[in-house]
Every structure is written in C-alpha cells, then in structure tokens.
Amino acid sequence: MKRRTVFIILLLVPVIIYTILRTAFLLKYYDSSSIAGKEITQIFLFGARMDIAGVLYVNAPFILLYLATMPWIHRTVIQAILGVVYLLLNLPFLALNIIDLEYFGFNRRRSTIDILYLFKDSAYSFPSLIKQYYFLLVIFILTAIAIYLIVFKIFRSANQKPVKEYLPDYILIVAILIICSLTITENSKRPLTPASPLLHFQASYQPLANNSTISFLYSLFRFNRPVKKINYLPDATAQSIFPVWKQYHQIKSFENKNVVLIILESMSESLLKGENKASVKFLDSIMQRSIVFTNTFQNGGESVKGLTAILASIPPFTDVPFFTSPYAGIPIEGIGSILNKKGYSTSFFLGAEYDHFNFAKLVRIAGINNYYSADHYNNSGHFDGNWGIYDEYFFQYFAKEISKIQQPFFTVLYNISTHPPFKLPPHRAKSFTITGQTPQQNAVSYSDYCLQQLFDSISREDWFNNTIFVFTADHSLPVNEKSKKFRLMDALRIPFFIYDPSNPEYREISGPWQQLDIVPTILDMLHYDGKFVSFGNSALRGDQKFSITRLNEIYQLIDSTSVIGFDDQSGKLLYHYQYNNDTELVHNIANLSADTANNILLLKSIIQQFNNALYRNSFVEE
C-alpha cells in the first residue's frame, strides 16, 4: 500500500466513526421520520465537514510527524511510534463523542471544556456511573480495539522497503490538506465553529450537525484567549439600554427577614406541572400559597453555572465556571456580601462532599460565610453511594443547624436526591416506586416528601413566620427520555416561586424570568435600597422581562414570545423563532423588526458590559 494511501485511510477512519456516532445521536434524540430525507443528507454532509475539521485539528501533531517520518515508515519502530501517537490523539476525542450520546440528554448541548470539571468532581461516583452507563464503556472499548487493529494492519500493509521517490506522496498529501482546509471554513474566510450549522439549519439540528470534538476545542481556544474590549455600542448607550448597577427606591424601610433559598437539583418546570408532573403534594400545597413566577428559564445548563447566576446575579457566559476561570479574582458582590453588611448570618448547606463542583469557592466569592456539607454531617451510613447524603437525613440536619444560627440569616439549602441516577434509600424504594412514574419522577416525589418533613420540623420554630422561602432549580433536566422531540424552550424552563408564611397568598406573575432575577427579587422583597450589581431584574417590578443564556456557543435572548440567537464572533443574528407558536423551533424568521432590533441591542449591551468587566478586572462603575 502506498504511503499516501496509508495517510488518507488513517484520516478517514475517525471521520467514518464520527458519522456512525452521529447516526446513533440522530436515532436517540431526534424523530428521524419527521425529518425530510434531503434535510438529513444535508445535515450529514455538513456534519462531515465538521468531522473533517475536528480530525485535522486533533491530528495536526500526527500529520507533521507522519510527513517527517514518511521515508522510514517501513521500519517497525516508526510504525509503533506513529500508531501510539495516533491512538493517543484520537481516542480521547472519540470517547468524548461517545459520552455525549448520554450526557447530551442532561444538558442539551455538546460537551465543552467544563466537562473536565465534571470528571474531576465526580471521581468518587465513577463506579456507580460506570454501572449505570456501562454500555458507553463497552462501545468505547470496542471502538478502541477496532481502531488499534485497523491502524496497525494498515501500517503493516505499507511498503516494507525503502522508497526513493517521495515527491508524489508529499504533493498529493499537501493537496489533500489544502482541499480539506477549504472545506472546513465558512466561505473560505473563517474556520468552522460550533455555531456554523446555524447558518444552514434550524437551531434544534445544530447539535446533530456538530460534534463534541469541535465544541471542546473551540471552548479550549476561547478559554486560553485573552478577553478583548468590546465596542458594539458606546458604553453610556450600553448602560442606558440595560443598567447593570441597580438601586431600587423603597417606600418601606429594610426588613430583617430571614431568607431560605431552596435550590432543587435538576428540577425541570415540567416535573411540577404539565404532562410530566410528578406526585408532589407538598410543593403543590406550597405553590398554592406562594408568588409563582411563570415562564422562568435557566441561565446555565450545569449546576456550577446556574449557581453563579443565582447567588451572584452574573451571567455564566465563560466556558468554564466563573469562579474557576482566570477571572475568579475579580471582586464581586454576591447576595451574601450584600446581606452581610446588613448584619445577616450567611450559610450554604449541601449534602455532598465539601467543595463539590467547587461550590465552596463560589460560596466564598458570593460572600456567604459558612459552608455545611456531608463532611460536617459525618455519617457515612446515610450516603447514597453516588453524590452525598439522602435528602431526608440532610434536611433534618439542616433544620437542627439553622435553628442555632443567629438571626437574621440568609441560607441556601441545596438538595441532591433528584440528581441522576435518582437513587432512593432502600427503606423508601417501595413507597416511592410509583406506578406510571419514571425513576426521575420518583426521586422528585421522594424529595417532595423530604421537604414536607423539613417544614414539619421548622414550622414550629419561632423564626419560621419571619422567613421568606425562595424555591428554584440549579438547572433543568429533560424529563421524557422516550421523547425524541428536541424542544429547546422546554429544556430550559425551571420553577421559581416564593413562599412567605406571614403572607400565604397565591399570586402569579408572568415572565419570562431567569436565575439572574433571583438576587434583585430577594433584595427588593427585603426593601433593600442600596446600590448593587446585577445582570437581572426584580420580578416584583415592571422592568424588562427577558432571559439570556449562552448555549452551544451562541448567545440567546428570550422574551415573552420569541427567542433570538446571536453569534458574537461574526456579529450576526443567526435565528429568530416565535416559540409560543413554533414549539419545535422550525421556522427561522430571522427578521429585523423593531422588536428584534431592540432585543439584539439589549443582548449586545449585556454581552459588552459583562465582557468589559472581565477586561478591566472589575464589576464596578467606570
């Protein structure tokens, strides 16, 4: 076999595997019968371009080594070196794409650099994860064995003697690389990025046309690239369109009410109402006596990013969590910092290990002084074998500890039992294996029971009626695993409601709302009249109603009827969907109506102010 042929086959092997994985991705997450055959063909052809780009980026060191050693490829030692380098470069990224066959179902986007933080903080739960997703490991092992056999068979079939004339091989290989480089660019001007499919297909097909390799490499590139000052608009204009510095005029004086912020792990709104509703009798009763903020969306698709928005009111736009990024040293005032100045005791309770997902770092950055974890609970007999202490035990621990804390207090209670794999305590498994419910819904019903037990305990305390209880989620999690309908808006919706025992009246306030609105809403309820930084608005006022997020490398803004997608690299509006009527996000109208133009300006204003705060290392006024 000629050496140029060996080279071509070695590059084609991962491209073919990526195509097979894309087919599996299509079958798992999409209803292929509802997609026209022509459109599937176009998606796969474009996906092949994305795959070629990923393969060339990943194999750049191998390509250089191959070209340098090509005259001696007949030697066994050279073949061994090339084979090992090839496997070391390709197998990790193939593993990433295999992992996303399941992981995409949790966050609805291809993996980025932040998956490294997930691996780091989930190390102790690997045995249970492998047990649950063993088939992914089997697929990877079989893929690795197949590649190993193919690669070394190809090398052995190469010319087994020196070749004097190499020029034709070099010319053809270089020509192939030039053609590929033209194929993997947008209009021969800029490289393909995770956002590129949106120039050709509807938003729901972007993950299908994309691959995890490109998403990861692009996020790695952005992570290592210094922030540059953005000048979409004059700074004064950006600040006038959306003032990041807030100060609410209050008629009443500040109220030293306690605040308990209950963050429900992986809680989609549809688990509490709608066709996927779990049995949640306690939460039903609480919501009937609460201010319920409808149409609320997550700002971050992972716990670490959701908490950044919830506790610091800063959008999780960075590829890795803000508090582990190069900008973690930028001083900010989270809700803890603000309430500490008002004499509050501030604390955070989580039944997982200390600094799980770097939460202890975020809590400190947000100004929360005390952190309680499974390490403080110190009873391994109540450990669920995956993430931490079962809710029923840790909630009662919280009830005992919070009653010891000096008032007024602000505290966060973060549950874990609604996190996959939705494991129930053995003595509760029978009671909460409910007919017609999925394991996820059963876990929600179990946590609902644990919350009821918690409130039964704390409702007898003298501080209870002087406390505001805020309920929300760290992020949503797709509920109906059997459905192949990719409904982006449903995948982003989370609950948000506030219960005040001293005023238990039902009130519904229509949105859209977001996690960024939680800090200003809490401060407004307390009649706080000081100045603070927030990229959200109080849900109690008639301010702008919208939600922003950065999903699949695209900035999104959601208003009451539509969602727009903006690519900050090209400065283009990529999509505009009327999601109320177009639930599948099929009809990209991408028009420039007055409302759309205003939303683009609003989004640019927020992006610019966030980016430039990182650029100048400060979230204070210039």
Side-chain angles (χ1 to χ4, degrees):
M1 186 180 293
K2 294 182 179 180
R3 300 175 190 201
R4 57 178 178 261
T5 306
V6 170
F7 178 82
I8 294 170
I9 294 175
L10 290 175
L11 292 188
L12 279 177
V13 166
V15 172
I16 293 171
I17 295 175
Y18 282 136
T19 302
I20 295 172
L21 292 176
R22 178 171 289 105
T23 303
F25 197 86
L26 169 67
L27 296 175
K28 183 172 178 62
Y29 293 109
Y30 295 86
D31 183 1
S32 57
S33 63
S34 66
I35 309 175
K38 181 180 179 182
E39 193 166 23
I40 291 180
T41 301
Q42 292 172 338
I43 291 171
F44 270 71
L45 287 175
F46 192 89
R49 290 176 59 191
M50 300 289 287
D51 296 342
I52 291 170
V55 168
L56 289 182
Y57 294 150
V58 167
N59 286 280
F62 171 78
I63 292 171
L64 293 175
L65 183 62
Y66 187 91
L67 293 174
T69 61
M70 195 164 63
W72 304 281
I73 198 176
H74 59 284
R75 297 181 180 177
T76 302
V77 65
I78 298 298
Q79 293 177 4
I81 293 172
L82 287 171
V84 169
V85 170
Y86 180 85
L87 292 173
L88 290 177
L89 291 173
N90 285 280
L91 288 180
F93 288 95
L94 288 170
L96 186 64
N97 282 270
I98 291 171
I99 288 171
D100 267 359
L101 289 177
E102 283 296 325
Y103 189 48
F104 177 83
F106 295 113
N107 60 9
R108 290 299 185 182
R109 67 175 178 81
R110 293 281 189 167
S111 292
T112 61
I113 189 175
D114 61 5
I115 197 172
L116 299 180
Y117 294 85
L118 176 70
F119 285 153
K120 176 183 175 182
D121 288 285
S122 303
Y124 63 92
S125 62
F126 274 176
S128 63
L129 290 174
I130 290 174
K131 182 179 180 180
Q132 184 177 6
Y133 301 110
Y134 67 93
F135 54 91
L136 294 181
L137 182 61
V138 171
I139 292 172
F140 172 71
I141 291 174
L142 293 177
T143 302
I145 292 173
I147 292 177
Y148 173 83
L149 295 175
I150 291 171
V151 167
F152 284 98
K153 183 176 181 179
I154 290 172
F155 277 128
R156 285 193 295 271
S157 66
N159 292 336
Q160 297 302 306
K161 59 182 179 179
V163 178
K164 295 181 180 180
E165 184 56 59
Y166 303 106
L167 188 58
D169 287 321
Y170 280 118
I171 291 175
L172 184 59
I173 290 174
V174 171
I176 291 171
L177 294 175
I178 292 173
I179 293 171
C180 288
S181 66
L182 296 175
T183 303
I184 63 174
T185 59
E186 295 176 8
N187 301 322
S188 302
K189 292 181 180 179
R190 58 193 294 257
L192 293 174
T193 69
S196 296
L198 291 170
L199 298 173
H200 308 276
F201 311 106
Q202 65 189 60
S204 60
Y205 295 153
Q206 186 213 15
L208 178 60
N210 195 7
N211 62 55
S212 308
T213 301
I214 289 293
S215 288
F216 182 89
L217 292 175
Y218 184 72
S219 66
L220 183 64
F221 165 74
R222 288 179 64 107
F223 177 72
N224 288 319
R225 186 176 58 177
V227 169
K228 296 181 180 179
K229 196 172 188 296
I230 289 179
N231 295 298
Y232 293 137
L233 307 162
D235 287 339
T237 302
Q239 292 166 11
S240 65
I241 292 173
F242 183 77
V244 171
W245 275 89
K246 303 286 191 297
Q247 186 169 25
Y248 296 132
H249 173 69
Q250 303 289 354
I251 298 175
K252 297 181 179 180
S253 58
F254 184 81
E255 287 191 81
N256 288 316
K257 279 198 166 188
N258 306 309
V259 179
V260 176
L261 173 57
I262 298 176
I263 299 178
L264 303 171
E265 170 68 56
S266 305
M267 187 66 68
S268 302
E269 182 191 54
S270 62
L271 286 164
L272 301 185
K273 63 180 182 179
E275 62 180 357
N276 294 310
K277 185 180 184 301
S279 176
V280 284
K281 296 178 181 178
F282 174 72
L283 287 175
D284 283 344
S285 68
I286 286 290
M287 283 189 284
Q288 290 169 7
R289 295 172 285 161
S290 300
I291 304 174
V292 178
F293 303 96
T294 62
N295 211 26
T296 301
F297 297 93
Q298 66 184 34
N299 294 112
E302 300 88 25
S303 301
V304 286
K305 293 187 175 181
L307 256 67
T308 302
I310 292 171
L311 299 180
S313 202
I314 290 177
F317 286 162
T318 52
D319 290 295
V320 298
F322 175 80
F323 49 93
T324 57
S325 74
Y327 311 103
I330 297 177
I332 63 173
E333 271 200 330
I335 190 168
S337 304
I338 296 169
L339 293 180
N340 284 335
K341 292 186 293 186
K342 287 291 188 178
Y344 273 66
S345 303
T346 53
S347 55
F348 184 95
F349 287 78
L350 171 69
E353 67 173 348
Y354 186 80
D355 202 25
H356 176 72
F357 284 139
N358 294 288
F359 286 165
K361 299 181 182 68
L362 169 61
V363 165
R364 291 296 184 189
I365 290 175
I368 297 173
N369 292 329
N370 299 295
Y371 189 101
Y372 299 83
S373 67
D375 297 1
H376 298 82
Y377 183 81
N378 196 27
N379 186 336
S380 59
H382 296 159
F383 182 64
D384 68 1
N386 296 285
W387 301 106
I389 307 302
Y390 286 112
D391 284 353
E392 64 181 288
Y393 302 115
F394 197 76
F395 283 5
Q396 292 303 315
Y397 168 74
F398 167 83
K400 292 178 182 178
E401 294 299 318
I402 197 63
S403 295
K404 301 175 185 176
I405 294 176
Q406 181 179 347
Q407 299 182 56
F409 57 73
F410 169 84
T411 187
V412 178
L413 175 60
Y414 195 147
N415 86 311
I416 65 166
S417 291
T418 48
H419 191 293
F422 314 121
K423 186 176 179 181
L424 301 173
H427 68 287
R428 301 290 184 194
K430 185 177 181 179
S431 300
F432 290 99
T433 302
I434 301 172
T435 303
Q437 289 200 167
T438 65
Q440 181 182 10
Q441 291 169 319
N442 290 337
V444 171
S445 297
Y446 165 70
S447 289
D448 178 74
Y449 164 79
C450 299
L451 285 168
Q452 180 181 9
Q453 297 301 305
L454 167 64
F455 273 71
D456 285 347
S457 297
I458 63 177
S459 62
R460 296 187 291 269
E461 300 293 337
D462 57 3
W463 53 262
F464 181 78
N465 284 322
N466 191 45
T467 302
I468 296 170
F469 295 88
V470 182
F471 293 79
T472 191
D474 57 344
H475 60 83
S476 178
L477 185 65
V479 178
N480 190 352
E481 297 178 358
K482 296 181 180 179
S483 174
K484 293 182 180 179
K485 293 289 187 181
F486 180 79
R487 290 177 175 169
L488 178 62
M489 309 308 292
D490 291 345
L492 299 178
R493 283 192 174 92
I494 59 171
F496 174 28
F497 55 96
I498 297 177
Y499 170 59
D500 183 350
S502 67
N503 185 27
E505 295 183 7
Y506 177 79
R507 183 154 54 113
E508 189 174 290
I509 303 179
S510 60
W513 306 111
Q514 56 184 334
Q515 291 168 320
L516 291 168
D517 297 331
I518 291 174
V519 167
T521 300
I522 291 174
L523 295 178
D524 204 11
M525 286 197 76
L526 297 175
H527 308 300
Y528 180 77
D529 62 359
K531 215 170 186 184
F532 63 98
V533 173
S534 171
F535 283 80
N537 291 308
S538 170
L540 303 177
R541 295 177 178 260
D543 296 332
Q544 298 159 300
K545 297 180 181 181
F546 64 89
S547 175
I548 54 174
T549 189
R550 182 167 173 256
L551 182 68
N552 293 318
E553 318 307 327
I554 299 301
Y555 290 93
Q556 285 191 159
L557 186 142
I558 302 167
D559 65 17
S560 59
T561 61
S562 64
V563 54
I564 63 170
F566 175 74
D567 179 14
D568 65 317
Q569 297 300 302
S570 64
K572 293 181 179 179
L573 172 68
L574 296 179
Y575 54 82
H576 176 193
Y577 297 103
Q578 298 287 348
Y579 67 84
N580 281 342
N581 301 319
D582 182 14
T583 57
E584 306 295 333
L585 305 188
V586 174
H587 305 292
N588 182 5
I589 56 179
N591 62 33
L592 288 176
S593 65
D595 289 341
T596 307
N598 288 336
N599 282 349
I600 293 174
L601 286 176
L602 175 58
L603 189 52
K604 284 183 175 180
S605 167
I606 294 169
I607 295 170
Q608 178 171 314
Q609 291 183 81
F610 176 80
N611 183 89
N612 292 353
L614 301 186
Y615 175 78
R616 66 174 182 264
N617 292 313
S618 175
F619 278 96
V620 300
E621 291 179 299
E622 292 182 310

